[in-house]
Amino acid sequence: SQPGKWFHVKFASFYFILWLRRLKTKIMKPLPVGDLETMKPLSKHEKAFDATFFQAVSQNGFYFCGGIERRHQAKANGLFYIAVPELGLLESQKLPNTLLDSDPVSVLLNKEYGAEGISFAIAEPMKKWHVSYNGKMRLQKSPDRLLDVKLNGEWTSDLPYFLFETDISLNCLAKAIARETWTNEFFKSLKTAHQTHYEQMGYFTGTLSVGHKSYRLEMDAFRDHSFGYKRDWSLMHRYAFHMMYLQDGTRVSIGIVSQPVTTSLLEMGYVVLPNKTLQCIDSCDLLLYQHGEKGNPGKNYAFSFQANKQTYEAKIQVIYESFHYKGNNIEAKLIERFIECEVNGIKGKGISEWHYNNFKNPNQ
Ligand SMILES: *[C@@H]1O[C@H](CO)[C@@H](O)[C@H](O)[C@H]1NC(C)=O
C-alpha cells in the first residue's frame, strides 16, 4: 500500500494511541520474563505454532543457524545449516524440506525444542540455552556426500531482549498502519494474525565435529522466539531480515516485512551498541520490490537505516546461500544467506533470510 492523502492524520492518531498503550504497559507490570520463556501448549488452530530460531557467526568465517517450529501432531518444521570455511555450507539432511517428527521425549517433557537431531533446551530464561545438532549433513558443494556432524554448546546472553509488542519503534509501527486502508476487516486481521515475537543478541561457545575434524567455536549469536494462535505462511507476501555482527561489537537486527492482510510494509529492528545499549531502528530504505521481486535477491547490495537519529549505511556481500520450504513444505520459500557486511566502514559478518510466498512465485 502507498500512503494516501490522510496518511499524516492517520499516522499522528495511531502514533498517539500506541504511545498511550505503551505508557499503560510501562506503568503496569511488564510481562514476566519467565512467562515468555515457558513452553506453552499449542493453540487449537490447525496452524498453531511455537517457533524458536538460533544463529551464530564468528569473524573467522564459521556460521550456523537452525530453527524449530513446533506444530500439531508431533510435527515440527526444523532446519540446520553450518558453514565451515574449509568445507563450505553444510545442510541438514532433509533440506530443502523441513517437515520433521518432533523428538518424542521433548514432546513429553515439554522443555525442549527437539526434532531429528536438532535440540534447543532452556537452562535459564533470557540467559542460557543448550544448542545441539547431531546427525548427518549434506555438503552443498557435493550433495551426494553426507557427513557426520555434532555441534554442542551454549547460547548465553547478558544483552537486552527486544519484544516486538513493547519495543518496536512507534514511528515504524504507526507508519506501517497509516499506509493501509482502515476497514473493520483490516483491524480484525491485525488481531487474528498477531504473533508474540521477541529477539535477543548473545554469544555461543561450543564444539563442532565434522567427520574426523573438530573445532572449538566462540561466536556472536542471536535467537528469537515466536508464538501465537496461528502462523499462516500463506498470508505472508515477502520479508527480508538481516542480522549483523560487527568487529567493534555493534550488532544489528533489521527486518522488512510485507504481510498485506496486516501491514504491507513494516520496518522493524534495533541496534545493540558495544556498551550493550539497545536503540530502535526508526526507518530503513530497503524496499522489497527493488530487490529480487521475482525470487532472486542480489548477492551484493546496500541499504541504509536510522536509529537514534544516526544514519547507518550497510553493504552486504553474500558468501553462501541455500533455501528451504515451510508451511507443509509448500507455502513459503526461505532463502538463507550467510553474509559479510560493512556498516559505516566497520566490517562484520551476518545472516540474512529472505522469504517469498511460494504460491505467488512457485518454486523459483
Ligand atoms: C552507550 O554508548 C552510546 C553511544 O556512544 C552513548 O550515547 C550512551 O550514553 C552509552 N550508554 C551507556 C549506558 O554507557
Side-chain angles (χ1 to χ4, degrees):
S1 304
Q2 293 301 315
K5 67 174 170 182
W6 295 106
F7 176 79
H8 295 287
V9 177
K10 287 161 84 182
F11 174 84
S13 53
F14 208 78
Y15 189 98
F16 182 66
I17 293 168
L18 289 171
W19 180 82
L20 274 184
R21 260 182 43 164
R22 200 160 282 184
L23 195 68
K24 204 169 101 191
T25 53
K26 270 194 188 135
I27 294 167
M28 314 219 303
K29 260 197 320 233
L31 266 179
V33 165
D35 245 34
L36 285 172
E37 296 271 84
T38 326
M39 246 187 202
K40 289 160 204 65
L42 295 176
S43 85
K44 291 202 175 65
H45 196 277
E46 60 165 348
K47 290 186 172 180
F49 81 109
D50 172 18
T52 191
F53 176 75
F54 283 76
Q55 60 170 247
V57 310
S58 68
Q59 298 299 334
N60 62 353
F62 285 84
Y63 299 84
F64 78 74
C65 71
I68 287 193
E69 208 173 283
R70 289 168 57 224
R71 295 288 197 167
H72 277 309
Q73 291 167 336
K75 290 290 180 192
N77 282 110
L79 59 116
F80 221 96
Y81 294 101
I82 302 177
V84 176
E86 60 192 290
L87 294 171
L89 191 63
L90 296 156
E91 307 174 341
S92 53
Q93 203 180 340
K94 288 196 177 158
L95 289 177
N97 293 338
T98 56
L99 196 61
L100 306 180
D101 289 318
S102 286
D103 177 7
V105 178
S106 79
V107 171
L108 276 178
L109 297 180
N110 217 22
K111 277 202 173 137
E112 176 194 357
Y113 296 80
E116 303 193 25
I118 305 170
S119 160
F120 307 111
I122 189 161
E124 203 184 329
M126 302 292 179
K127 292 212 157 65
K128 194 173 183 184
W129 283 73
H130 299 296
V131 174
S132 65
Y133 181 86
N134 187 353
K136 301 234 180 271
M137 291 186 99
R138 210 177 286 284
L139 196 59
Q140 190 183 43
K141 273 191 240 167
S142 45
D144 298 335
R145 257 184 88 194
L146 285 173
L147 297 166
D148 285 309
V149 177
K150 270 196 187 134
L151 173 77
N152 229 312
E154 255 145 32
W155 184 96
T156 56
S157 181
D158 58 355
L159 299 173
Y161 63 92
F162 178 90
L163 175 63
F164 175 85
E165 290 143 273
T166 55
D167 300 332
I168 188 181
S169 136
L170 292 182
N171 189 49
C172 287
L173 194 51
K175 248 191 312 186
I177 305 274
R179 294 177 87 89
E180 302 300 324
T181 308
W182 288 6
T183 59
N184 281 340
E185 218 40 43
F186 168 67
F187 286 104
K188 217 156 83 194
S189 304
L190 274 184
K191 261 195 191 139
T192 57
H194 177 75
Q195 305 182 2
T196 298
H197 175 82
Y198 58 94
E199 306 184 345
Q200 191 180 20
M201 291 288 179
Y203 316 90
F204 177 84
T205 30
T207 52
L208 168 68
S209 68
V210 181
H212 298 296
K213 290 206 86 168
S214 65
Y215 312 86
R216 174 96 199 133
L217 300 177
E218 301 274 343
M219 308 168 92
D220 288 324
F222 163 101
R223 77 180 173 111
D224 69 24
H225 179 204
S226 317
F227 56 92
Y229 179 63
K230 63 168 185 180
R231 174 178 272 177
D232 185 349
W233 281 109
S234 68
L235 300 179
M236 184 70 75
H237 170 55
R238 283 188 64 183
Y239 70 63
F241 273 90
H242 291 82
M243 283 78 180
M244 295 177 272
Y245 310 81
L246 308 185
Q247 284 175 357
D248 72 349
T250 304
R251 295 140 179 270
V252 179
S253 166
I254 169 87
I256 309 296
V257 182
S258 175
Q259 180 172 268
V261 293
T262 53
T263 51
S264 56
L265 170 56
L266 175 66
E267 305 146 330
M268 55 183 281
Y270 54 90
V271 177
V272 180
L273 299 174
N275 68 10
K276 303 181 182 170
T277 310
L278 186 146
Q279 294 179 336
C280 285
I281 290 176
D282 288 315
S283 65
C284 176
D285 73 353
L286 191 156
L287 290 168
L288 291 173
Y289 68 82
Q290 295 178 345
H291 292 267
E293 180 70 350
K294 297 231 169 106
N296 283 310
K299 299 272 170 65
N300 196 332
Y301 52 96
F303 57 89
S304 73
F305 55 91
Q306 274 85 33
N308 199 35
K309 308 210 160 60
Q310 189 181 340
T311 298
Y312 295 83
E313 310 271 353
K315 290 190 229 169
I316 310 293
Q317 170 85 53
V318 175
I319 306 300
Y320 311 106
E321 178 183 283
S322 189
F323 66 90
H324 56 268
Y325 297 103
K326 280 193 182 171
N328 291 324
N329 281 333
I330 172 134
E331 292 168 3
K333 180 177 179 182
L334 295 107
I335 306 182
E336 210 64 40
R337 294 142 73 85
F338 303 84
I339 60 175
E340 286 178 2
C341 60
E342 194 182 305
V343 180
N344 287 356
I346 300 160
K347 288 194 177 353
K349 306 266 192 216
I351 291 181
S352 169
E353 186 175 277
W354 291 64
H355 162 280
Y356 286 89
N357 187 308
N358 198 50
F359 289 135
K360 291 177 189 153
N361 289 345
N363 297 316
Q364 280 189 358

